[in-house]
Amino acid sequence: DQQVKQNSPSLSVQEGRISILNCDYTNSMFDYFLWYKKYPAEGPTFLISISSIKDKNEDGRFTVFLNKSAKHLSLHIVPSQPGDSAVYFCAASANNNAGNMLTFGGGTRLMVKP
Amino acid sequence: DTGVSQDPRHKITKRGQNVTFRCDPISEHNRLYWYRQTLGQGPEFLTYFQNEAQLEKSRLLSDRFSAERPKGSFSTLEIQRTEQGDSAMYLCASSRTTENGYTFGSGTRLTVV
């Protein structure tokens, strides 16, 4: 049972345009959400996060939106740059999870074309 | 501090052999995690340590898998009697107790032939 799903395995965007990556979750106990970026042959690197008490968090070109009622979050990258080409994972954790274990989605490969 | 370090980066082993991986976390991080990632999937939780205590183990971690973190510093993950299904990227991560996000290492890619 996949508790975190990224339904688009890949996304292609032109440089300078907006990239929107989507993520859905099923576990209503999740209250903290993160996005990680992964380049080939490297481990995932933390990008941006959001707590369930917020519906938006912005950091430079990256904005994460959370819709708790729909159990949906999205990552917006604007403007997109070729260096953003990577696999993006969303992840979630539950506050009652004392170990802060993360549940990851399957990832979306973003390709930004020059 | 150079981040989370994993060794080796790649390991090819024959089915039935034992393998051991090492992870050196960021020095001030008291939490250490092991995840496994197969092709086309996101990382899956295996186990985690708070200092030297192993506090949680996933059902993915069969009896052939064992992890240790002596003295709360580096950690080792051993797989006994490897099977082809064990082929994956094994990721280590660390964090402070107060943090929600992790810092991942570059992983150890295991290929069982």
Side-chain angles (χ1 to χ4, degrees):
Chain A
D1 176 31
Q2 271 193 297
Q3 298 186 66
V4 179
K5 291 184 181 180
Q6 294 176 254
N7 291 318
S8 298
S10 64
L11 175 68
S12 182
V13 171
Q14 203 67 35
E15 180 179 7
R17 306 295 288 268
I18 185 171
S19 296
I20 300 176
L21 296 94
N22 294 302
C23 179
D24 297 292
Y25 63 96
T26 57
N27 188 340
S28 57
M29 299 302 293
F30 288 148
D31 58 3
Y32 199 84
F33 304 89
L34 308 92
W35 285 93
Y36 282 81
K37 179 170 71 173
K38 185 180 185 303
Y39 293 117
E42 295 182 12
T45 56
F46 171 74
L47 195 57
I48 192 169
S49 62
I50 187 167
S51 165
S52 61
I53 62 173
K54 294 184 175 181
D55 54 17
K56 176 183 175 181
N57 188 28
E58 191 172 354
D59 183 3
R61 296 187 296 113
F62 303 90
T63 303
V64 56
F65 295 91
L66 175 62
N67 182 335
K68 289 187 290 294
S69 61
K71 293 190 175 66
H72 176 84
L73 65 155
S74 61
L75 174 68
H76 293 208
I77 306 173
V78 55
S80 302
Q81 299 173 354
D84 296 329
S85 297
V87 178
Y88 290 78
F89 293 98
C90 70
S93 70
N95 191 41
N96 65 353
N97 169 357
N100 196 33
M101 292 167 282
L102 295 181
T103 302
F104 284 83
T108 296
R109 181 177 300 279
L110 173 66
M111 292 163 285
V112 180
K113 298 179 179 179
Chain B
D1 194 339
T2 56
V4 178
S5 176
Q6 291 189 247
D7 183 70
R9 290 293 305 272
H10 304 275
K11 178 71 176 178
I12 300 174
T13 190
K14 290 184 178 179
R15 189 174 50 187
Q17 296 294 304
N18 299 343
V19 294
T20 300
F21 311 141
R22 177 180 171 123
C23 171
D24 287 274
I26 292 173
S27 56
E28 63 265 30
H29 287 182
N30 57 348
R31 287 185 172 175
L32 186 147
Y33 304 82
W34 286 98
Y35 279 74
R36 181 173 69 186
Q37 185 179 15
T38 53
L39 199 61
Q41 303 295 320
E44 295 176 295
F45 170 78
L46 292 179
T47 189
Y48 106 94
F49 293 83
Q50 175 98 2
N51 300 313
E52 68 275 10
Q54 187 175 18
L55 297 185
E56 193 75 30
K57 289 171 63 173
S58 164
R59 54 185 164 79
L60 293 176
L61 214 65
S62 76
D63 292 344
R64 298 183 297 104
F65 288 71
S66 63
E68 294 182 344
R69 192 184 182 195
K71 303 178 183 177
S73 55
F74 71 93
S75 175
T76 58
L77 178 67
E78 180 184 17
I79 308 174
Q80 296 181 328
R81 306 180 304 281
T82 52
E83 301 172 355
Q84 284 189 321
D86 297 332
S87 296
M89 174 75 82
Y90 289 84
L91 293 163
C92 177
S94 69
S95 74
R96 294 187 184 91
T97 307
T98 53
E99 290 177 336
N100 286 291
Y102 310 157
T103 301
F104 279 92
S106 296
T108 293
R109 179 166 294 285
L110 173 66
T111 303
V112 181
V113 298

